[in-house]
Amino acid sequence: MAMKLHEYQAKDVFADAGIPTPASALASDVDGVVAAAEEIGYPVAIKAQVQVGGRGKAGGIELVDDEDEAREAADTILGMDLKGYHVGQVLVEEAVDFTDELYVGITMDRGAGKPVAMVSTKGGVDIEEVAEEDPDAIAQEHIDPSFGMHPYQARKAVYDAGVDSAVARDVSSVLTTLYDLWTSRDGSDAEINPLMVTDDDEVIAADAVMNIDEDALFRQPELAEMEEEAASGDELEQKADEYDFDYVRLEGNTGIIGNGAGLVMTTLDLVDHYGGEPANFLDVGGGAKADRIANALDMVFSDDNVDSVVFNIFGGITRGDEVAKGINEALEQFDEIPKPVVVRLAGTNWEEGMEILNEDLVTVEQTLEDAVQRAVEYAAEVEA
Amino acid sequence: MSVLVDDETRVVVQGITGGEGKFHAEQMIEYGTNVVAGAVPGKGGQEAAGVPVYDTVDEAVEAEDADTSVIFVPPAFAGDAIFEALDTDLELAVAITEGIPTQDMARVNKRLTETDTRLIGPNCPGLITPGEAKLGILPGNIFADGNVGLVSRSGTLTYQVVDNLTNRGIGQTTAIGIGGDPIIGTDFVDALELFENDDETEAIVMCGEIGGEDEEEAAAFIDEHVDTPVAGFIAGRTAPPGKRMGHAGAIVSGSGTGTAESKISALNDAGVPVGDTPEEVADHIEEFLS
């Protein structure tokens, strides 16, 4: 999927390509914020560097006029919890006087199977809301990836959106640069919202979004280095990154482990169907060996919300004997199993797996439906 | 009868000297698939899985009359490998590889509009005509010959549903895994059309999942063009918005598109019953066939 750059990282990428951005500096403590603000000159914006939308509304962006205000805002924002994300860094940025706020963006239109360039004069607000309430306000131009964006397409999108002719040329130029970046950097999304228009008809990127296709990071070494820095979020989700699992933490108490995205999703849905609540999505992927299976159990056990675990494997390239070995390894280290585990094995080598599996440590069910129902019952017993 | 693949299909395996490629080429041959060659640049003249290896797909076609390719090339080179298959005018290319950069697939997607070669995948388990041939990584032993066509975005979910069918003595004409990526070759509509035009296929199972609008488009197509009875399943009913469920394509966006509800109601409106569980899907199919 996508690796999200922080605003400051995306702005560096945009600025290097020639897109105008406000003067700014990164800071991680109050004195650093003040020093940066003095350097840039008040007023400045202090902006939390976290990967969530709606930072402004959530109190993560403050406009300040002097040192006192800067200290107060920096003290509040640094270290705050913004929609579950810890704020460790802020961008201190020149405040721009603007007359208009535009939106420009490039993304992959999966339905069309090709990139699309978008321009709107309704910048500065959530563009998904604009798309829903007033779709005509966003001009769209689909691009043939074998030719790239023709110059006329950039102009057309800008004129179709109704951008003021005084800045049309500059906005087209920003859009063209954005598309070039999107292709050369393997972007999944590249956006400027807002692209501010000043009273002397300059355009300047006041925000920057750049998401990179994770599958292409192998050929984007410079951006891959930023990944470490950009990573943040739930502790368990970070642990899943280390183990290289597809993992999503949810709110419920029935832990779920399986192989293959569609089947794991189905297992979640069945937990819900039988009256339980899924605690997570965990896909061990194809061909998992014993150690990976043990890691998966460790992951789910370390979620305090989990009261029971359903382990559902339908082997194609994953082998039942490896799965059974992994489950034994993970469970035999405990004097007492921390949470009841229900196992269902099917597909490749399931019989060999059943011979190996230590049935004193787990509950075995033959079908997916039975396994899920049993795990939901166990979870309900623990809750009661 | 079957669709796309049978015991006449002549297969070249791209990437046959790699670990995955070799293992699955052997598995395919063991199942009875007519694998005639491998293609790996720099490995021409060697032998792998008991078949000759050529440097290019073109040579494999010239020498062994291959008409279908199965691609096990690593993601960085897989886009190029698909282009090679398309430019060689094969009938069918099946890309198993997971993790191909999306922009590479956008270029492939453009090329697909100009060629007659059909692409299945990428990031898919492949397809199988039970008792005749399998192209890909599906475990052959769970399938049985019969009259149900199956098309699915997910590999292991396919196995689950097939298992539910086979256990009741309901076999399959062909099962196709179309893949979980945002940009794929053959989609639900293409597969449904193939099954609709196949005389042996008496009922169809369609397994979708959250994300994108392919299931909605399929529902509209079924409503207009498909007389064969279809039963559906949609994975991801409990997926929260904004969280990707494993597959790159399986995400409900912030604006609420691609939800399970939207897909289920579109299918229901087209007269397609959607099971709450894989067992219920098998119930519907049993009913259609009785």
Side-chain angles (χ1 to χ4, degrees):
Chain A
M1 160 94 172
M3 187 267 266
K4 296 175 175 178
L5 298 188
H6 279 300
E7 177 192 4
Y8 74 90
Q9 294 170 324
K11 274 192 173 146
D12 279 349
V13 172
F14 289 4
D16 283 347
I19 294 175
T21 54
S24 67
L26 196 64
S28 51
D29 58 42
V30 175
D31 288 339
V33 170
V34 172
E38 304 277 315
E39 177 77 27
I40 291 162
Y42 292 102
V44 294
I46 298 175
K47 307 163 91 175
Q49 296 300 290
V50 284
Q51 313 285 7
V52 290
R55 282 176 304 168
K57 272 188 207 157
I61 299 179
E62 292 282 353
L63 199 62
V64 299
D65 286 318
D66 56 39
E67 184 180 334
D68 285 349
E69 286 182 19
R71 281 190 184 280
E72 200 186 323
D75 197 45
T76 312
I77 295 174
L78 279 165
M80 81 189 292
D81 185 289
L82 204 78
K83 298 184 177 177
Y85 290 82
H86 172 83
V87 180
Q89 289 178 308
V90 292
L91 190 65
V92 183
E93 187 172 81
E94 169 194 5
V96 179
D97 274 330
F98 59 91
T99 52
D100 265 320
E101 293 184 292
L102 309 176
Y103 168 92
V104 296
I106 312 283
T107 191
M108 183 69 79
D109 180 343
R110 63 183 282 185
K114 52 174 89 165
V116 60
M118 294 171 291
V119 179
S120 176
T121 54
K122 297 200 164 177
V125 294
D126 184 352
I127 202 66
E128 286 200 345
E129 273 172 35
V130 178
E132 239 165 70
E133 286 158 20
D134 189 7
D136 292 342
I138 304 171
Q140 298 195 12
E141 203 51 35
H142 281 93
I143 299 161
D144 181 336
S146 47
F147 296 110
M149 184 164 65
H150 301 296
Y152 91 84
Q153 291 188 291
R155 295 196 299 269
K156 184 164 180 290
V158 167
Y159 285 118
D160 284 353
V163 171
D164 192 293
S165 60
V167 293
R169 183 186 292 265
D170 285 348
V171 178
S172 305
S173 157
V174 167
L175 188 64
T176 303
T177 307
L178 204 59
Y179 181 76
D180 290 344
L181 281 174
W182 186 87
T183 49
S184 64
R185 300 305 186 98
D186 276 297
S188 53
D189 313 277
E191 284 191 342
I192 302 172
N193 186 22
L195 179 68
M196 284 178 173
V197 180
T198 64
D199 53 8
D200 51 358
D201 292 333
E202 301 283 336
V203 297
I204 188 159
D207 195 6
V209 170
M210 185 81 185
N211 300 333
I212 311 297
D213 178 1
E214 270 178 6
D215 289 333
L217 281 179
F218 70 88
R219 61 188 178 200
Q220 302 289 347
E222 206 181 306
L223 297 175
E225 261 176 43
M226 295 184 184
E227 193 184 19
E228 285 293 296
E229 228 174 311
S232 54
D234 186 276
E235 208 174 293
L236 279 171
E237 293 189 350
Q238 282 183 21
K239 192 168 182 174
D241 267 352
E242 278 166 37
Y243 285 145
D244 192 28
F245 287 132
D246 275 323
Y247 174 85
V248 178
R249 193 176 188 185
L250 302 165
E251 311 276 307
N253 63 345
T254 302
I256 292 152
I257 301 171
N259 64 325
L263 187 56
V264 180
M265 267 192 274
T266 300
T267 311
L268 263 66
D269 294 348
L270 289 185
V271 166
D272 178 72
H273 178 75
Y274 291 118
E277 285 181 61
N280 67 276
F281 170 102
L282 196 166
D283 178 5
V284 298
K289 293 281 190 284
D291 57 337
R292 200 165 160 73
I293 297 294
N295 288 345
L297 267 172
D298 175 52
M299 274 282 325
V300 176
F301 279 160
S302 49
D303 181 346
D304 292 337
N305 293 341
V306 168
D307 291 328
S308 73
V309 180
V310 55
F311 210 121
N312 177 49
I313 298 288
F314 206 118
I317 48 178
T318 308
R319 286 165 35 190
D321 49 332
E322 285 288 334
V323 175
K325 249 190 266 173
I327 293 174
N328 287 351
E329 258 170 45
L331 295 182
E332 277 163 1
Q333 60 175 319
F334 295 105
D335 293 331
E336 196 182 336
I337 307 299
K339 300 161 189 197
V341 179
V342 183
V343 177
R344 182 266 184 150
L345 286 182
T348 308
N349 288 10
W350 76 270
E351 283 132 322
E352 289 87 336
M354 290 310 299
E355 272 168 32
I356 295 169
L357 190 64
N358 184 343
E359 293 192 45
D360 295 338
L361 306 178
V362 299
T363 305
V364 173
E365 293 288 352
Q366 300 301 325
T367 70
L368 171 59
E369 285 83 357
D370 288 347
V372 168
Q373 287 183 70
R374 181 59 70 96
V376 167
E377 279 166 29
Y378 284 158
E381 280 167 22
V382 174
E383 283 295 289
Chain B
M1 273 283 283
S2 57
V3 302
L4 297 175
V5 52
D6 57 28
D7 51 13
E8 308 275 298
T9 306
R10 297 179 67 82
V11 179
V12 51
V13 175
Q14 290 176 257
I16 198 168
T17 53
E20 296 269 298
K22 182 164 175 289
F23 176 76
H24 290 291
E26 285 164 356
Q27 296 284 308
M28 284 190 265
I29 291 165
E30 195 181 311
Y31 191 76
T33 311
N34 196 11
V35 176
V36 297
V40 181
K43 302 282 171 76
Q46 298 183 10
E47 207 184 79
V51 298
V53 180
Y54 298 88
D55 287 313
T56 66
V57 173
D58 195 49
E59 284 177 285
V61 170
E62 284 290 313
E64 308 293 341
D65 215 14
D67 55 29
T68 292
S69 165
V70 183
I71 299 169
F72 288 100
V73 172
F77 314 104
D80 186 49
I82 296 174
F83 265 100
E84 185 175 0
L86 300 184
D87 290 352
T88 315
D89 291 326
L90 297 173
E91 283 173 31
L92 178 67
V94 183
I96 307 300
T97 310
E98 177 177 1
I100 303 177
T102 310
Q103 294 198 9
D104 295 1
M105 280 311 301
R107 284 186 280 273
V108 166
N109 195 49
K110 169 68 195 309
R111 184 77 183 91
L112 283 172
T113 63
E114 308 158 344
T115 168
D116 291 330
T117 305
R118 174 185 293 281
L119 174 68
I120 302 217
N123 188 17
C124 77
L127 67 165
I128 183 167
T129 294
E132 297 200 30
K134 74 159 178 163
L135 308 179
I137 61 175
L138 313 101
N141 60 332
I142 60 169
F143 294 85
D145 184 25
N147 300 101
V148 176
L150 186 142
V151 53
S152 170
R153 260 164 83 178
S154 154
T156 48
L157 177 57
T158 307
Y159 312 158
Q160 174 65 46
V161 174
V162 164
D163 200 46
N164 290 51
L165 293 173
T166 303
N167 282 342
R168 297 181 187 209
I170 302 173
Q172 304 87 40
T173 46
T174 300
I176 310 173
I178 57 175
D181 273 5
I183 301 179
I184 53 174
T186 298
D187 61 12
F188 280 122
V189 169
D190 301 326
L192 288 165
E193 192 173 16
L194 289 166
F195 285 129
E196 172 71 5
N197 294 328
D198 176 47
D199 293 339
E200 295 279 312
T201 300
E202 288 172 13
I204 303 170
V205 176
M206 173 185 148
C207 296
E209 63 189 31
I210 51 163
E213 287 170 18
D214 286 7
E215 289 81 359
E216 285 87 338
E217 282 165 24
F221 181 81
I222 292 168
D223 202 23
E224 290 273 308
H225 303 288
V226 178
D227 293 327
T228 312
V230 183
F233 186 78
I234 300 292
R237 295 168 188 233
T238 47
K243 298 282 190 183
R244 180 186 67 131
M245 288 293 173
H247 284 158
I251 183 165
V252 177
S253 77
S255 56
T257 57
T259 60
E261 296 82 62
S262 136
K263 292 170 191 300
I264 292 167
S265 79
L267 286 167
N268 285 340
D269 288 350
V272 176
V274 177
D276 281 343
T277 66
E279 270 304 309
E280 279 184 35
V281 177
D283 289 342
H284 290 302
I285 292 294
E286 200 161 40
E287 206 171 297
F288 291 153
L289 295 177
S290 67

